[in-house]
Amino acid sequence: MPRFFIKKEQIHRNGSHTQIVIDGNDAVHISRSLRMRVGDELIICDGDGREYICTLSKITDSEVTANVAGSRSCTSEPPYKVTVYQALVKGEKFDTVVQKSIECGAVSVVPFSSSRCTVKLKGSDVEKKRARWQRIAEEAAKQCGRGIIPNIATALTFDEMINNAAKSDIVLFCYEKETLPLKATLAEKKANGVTTDISVIIGSEGGFSDEEAHAAKSAGFSTVSLGKRILRTESAAPFVLACLSYELEE
């Protein structure tokens, strides 16, 4: 069933009767691309974890009205919040990181610069890239049935990233020179009941420098190995998120 996200002010209640009005690109997508008709059903999410089961009652090229038949809490969100901190990478690799991280349950993706990054964002490129990645995140959230639209943050410096990530309960700093397996770290954290707010930090194509790894350890982060095989940078975050899902979701 098609899924769309709205803002809460698009929900109009009149006694026991509730309608949702969709306009803009989503209205065009419903009427022209999907060729939906009055009476067709769709799911509309308020972006805050609640979804509405709706029936279309009016369709124009610029605006769509749907009657709400019922609502429920979205069950597709993980029981923990995980933020992916991804070092800037070349080409469309960051697009892949965003898309797959959102599909695997991340609530936010934060780009950052590290010493071995070859990509440098400057001036207007910063917001252009962030807006592009935010659109990718929204499409991924729709496709995989998320109850929220994860946020793509503005790029940080390495030091800013360290300070931000330090606020989480668990920080997994994925480092190719580490020998402690991710599995062992997750088992320890799970046994201690600390699995609510998680940060995952992934380096660029060249990984992290020794100085950066030392800074992460000094901040109290858990440096972890992702196994005996070397993963591409765009594969690492989805791999870790899949491991989190296996270990922490019912």
Side-chain angles (χ1 to χ4, degrees), residues 46-157:
D46 64 6
D48 198 28
R50 191 149 198 87
E51 56 189 28
Y52 299 82
I53 299 88
C54 301
T55 302
L56 294 176
S57 59
K58 182 180 178 181
I59 301 175
T60 70
D61 287 344
S62 60
E63 189 174 276
V64 171
T65 303
N67 293 331
V68 176
S71 67
R72 62 197 179 199
S73 295
C74 181
T75 59
S76 62
E77 292 302 310
Y80 50 86
K81 291 184 178 180
V82 57
T83 297
V84 171
Y85 291 87
Q86 170 70 53
L88 291 166
V89 291
K90 295 184 291 186
E92 297 182 352
K93 292 179 181 179
F94 208 98
D95 296 3
T96 301
V97 172
V98 169
Q99 183 187 66
K100 301 309 175 187
S101 295
I102 272 52
E103 289 177 8
C104 293
V107 298
S108 181
V109 178
V110 183
F112 71 93
S113 297
S114 63
S115 62
R116 294 179 180 174
C117 286
T118 58
V119 176
K120 307 294 182 184
L121 296 183
K122 297 180 180 179
S124 60
D125 286 345
V126 175
E127 182 52 31
K128 285 180 180 178
K129 287 285 189 180
R130 194 207 67 79
R132 170 184 169 81
W133 294 329
Q134 189 63 58
R135 289 193 296 271
I136 292 172
E138 182 169 349
E139 289 304 314
K142 290 178 182 177
Q143 183 275 326
C144 69
R146 295 290 297 270
I148 64 169
I149 300 176
N151 178 61
I152 309 302
T154 301
L156 304 177
T157 65

Side-chain angles (χ1 to χ4, degrees), residues 162 166 169-173 189 214-223:
I162 290 285
D169 299 328
I170 303 173
V171 184
L172 302 172
F173 187 86
K189 301 298 184 183
H214 177 73
K217 292 177 181 178
S218 297
F221 298 174
S222 298
T223 54

